[in-house]
Amino acid sequence: MPHDFMPGLAGVPAARSAVSDVDGQRGVLEYRGIRIEDLSARSTFLETASLLLFGRLPAKLELERFTSDIALHRRIKYRIIDLLKCLPEQGHPMDALQAAVAALGMFYPGRNVQDIDNNYWSAVRLIAKLPTIVAAYARLRRGDDHIPPRDDLNFCENFLYMLTDSVPQKVWSHTLDVCLILHAEHTMNASTFTGMVTGSTLADPYTVVASSIGALKGPLHGGANEAVVHMLREIGTPAQVRPYLKKKLQAKERIMGFGHRVYKVKDPRATILQGLCDRLFRECGASPLYEVALEVERVAAELLRGKGVYPNVDFYSGIIYDKMGIEVEFFTPIFAIARVAGWLAHWFEQLQENKLFRPDQIYEGEHDRPYVPIEKR
Ligand code: CMC
């Protein structure tokens, strides 16, 4: 049967899913039918993760149980710490995270992915341990000791505590929590699809998540949040924005943090993050990067008019993390800490009706070529 080739599988459904939905024309994103605006204003990351994984908002006791299961599994084995210590300090934290998550699977070797109980505990471990791995590598690579998690702190307080050795003010942990909600899920994106391809082989969830982490790293996907901050720093001041963007667009280069395969209007997550920036910088002091970013958005709207290219989720998130004092290379790992909830929600869903991914190709090579012995080539 002849098929049309769709580069990047644009518009080709790869699964049926009830996890989330995007309306790219209206700029609407829903997790399990609930608008992202509602969740970011009223939920928490762990409640949202539970919603994504199990399909509905948890009852009070269910949420308490999930939260306490996560808190109990935050610690990582000393051998994972040893593994992180062996990695080069200049290595990218996404590579360290990918290696550590793949290694986690060796400590929890339950391979029967039909075992629902085991799958629950794997999901709990992954959501609980990713922040500990990221914070441990951040400290170890600069020569500091790993800080073990504290059970009395909530998910985001604990992550920032493990990263900085001090309990953060509410404003910072709450802001991070909202960022995690916004990054937790986004339909059939590259890293989710990667995880699903791996999951379709019935590989274990640590391998599924490790493969998703690899896909998230790239600058066209999660890695764009790093590139945005580098770009804003390079631009320097609002006055430099117009000449910088003109030069970039003339050279047919992309503006990082802009454009999306699905959204043809401003990404609703970027709108929420921008509101978060407004509040944060009013309360905690201005950010020079934010001033530049606002001007980039204004000038880009003019220069890219008619192309449907607007700020995406990666445009404003890095500015917030930068204000928190987090190193640029840790922005994408924070994305992974959130997105693991979405990856696992798709994995749970996929296991109910799995089919091995084995797409087709359009062969454009030759046929019936002779094998020429090496001495005659
Ligand atoms: N800057 C300038 N022009 C752009 C951009 C951009 N960031 N994105 C798209 N365009 C233009 C593109 O040049 C093309 O113009 P023309 O038709 O004249 O050739 C038109 O818009 C359509 O582009 P496309 O490449 O067909 O669109 P796509 O759906 O394949 O690209 C994208 C989606 C995300 C890869 C792209 O917008 C991009 O490279 N953005 C920059 C990287 C980025 O911010 N990535 C984060 C994506 S969202 C969060 C995530 O997934 O992690």
Side-chain angles (χ1 to χ4, degrees), residues 60-317:
K60 191 166 178 290
L61 278 178
E62 289 170 329
L63 181 58
E64 278 169 15
R65 184 191 157 199
F66 184 62
T67 305
S68 105
D69 287 346
I70 296 278
L72 280 172
H73 286 83
R74 286 168 177 167
R75 276 167 188 71
I76 50 176
K77 310 248 182 212
Y78 76 89
R79 287 195 191 162
I80 296 282
I81 302 287
D82 286 350
L83 180 147
L84 293 172
K85 280 183 188 162
C86 292
L87 300 175
E89 306 84 59
Q90 69 279 15
H92 196 287
M94 282 298 273
D95 294 331
L97 182 62
Q98 189 181 34
V101 167
L104 271 185
M106 299 166 83
F107 291 95
Y108 307 101
R111 289 278 182 264
N112 179 9
V113 295
Q114 305 306 339
D115 180 339
I116 293 173
D117 201 44
N118 194 39
N119 290 350
Y120 171 78
W121 289 110
S122 301
V124 163
R125 276 191 210 105
L126 281 159
I127 294 171
K129 292 183 195 304
L130 254 67
T132 314
I133 295 170
V134 171
Y137 186 61
R139 294 187 62 81
L140 294 170
R141 79 200 295 242
R142 54 172 195 253
D144 293 334
D145 285 336
H146 153 61
I147 297 177
R150 250 177 62 178
D151 294 345
D152 59 317
L153 300 178
N154 73 27
F155 193 81
C156 287
E157 284 169 346
N158 178 60
F159 172 61
L160 292 173
Y161 162 72
M162 291 188 298
L163 205 58
T164 62
D165 200 12
S166 72
V167 177
Q169 290 172 5
K170 267 265 152 322
V171 60
W172 299 115
S173 53
H174 172 71
T175 301
L176 180 63
D177 202 59
V178 176
C179 291
L180 296 191
I181 292 173
L182 295 174
H183 285 83
E185 161 60 8
H186 206 251
T187 72
M188 194 52 61
N189 55 84
S191 56
T192 299
F193 181 54
T194 303
M196 288 187 67
V197 173
T198 307
S200 80
T201 69
L202 300 185
D204 65 277
Y206 303 93
T207 307
V208 169
V209 170
S211 58
S212 291
I213 291 170
L216 185 69
K217 181 185 169 192
L220 293 187
H221 191 10
N225 57 14
E226 276 188 32
V228 168
V229 166
H230 289 309
M231 176 184 80
L232 298 176
R233 284 185 182 153
E234 197 185 331
I235 295 174
T237 64
Q240 294 302 317
V241 167
R242 186 174 290 276
Y244 179 93
L245 291 189
K246 276 190 156 171
K247 198 165 149 207
K248 223 170 167 59
L249 292 175
Q250 264 157 19
K252 300 244 170 285
E253 286 176 32
R254 302 261 155 143
I255 304 172
M256 299 316 276
F258 273 70
H260 199 279
R261 177 64 56 79
V262 182
Y263 292 116
K264 296 306 156 208
V265 293
K266 185 166 170 178
D267 183 332
R269 300 167 298 174
T271 306
I272 299 169
L273 285 166
Q274 192 179 349
L276 213 55
C277 284
D278 278 338
R279 275 201 304 282
L280 190 67
F281 302 145
R282 238 191 347 260
E283 270 182 52
C284 305
S287 152
L289 290 184
Y290 186 48
E291 303 307 316
V292 178
L294 288 175
E295 184 65 1
V296 169
E297 182 173 353
R298 203 182 62 75
V299 176
E302 211 183 286
L303 301 179
L304 292 168
R305 190 178 298 129
K307 286 209 171 181
V309 174
Y310 297 94
N312 59 48
V313 68
D314 290 320
F315 191 60
Y316 287 110
S317 57

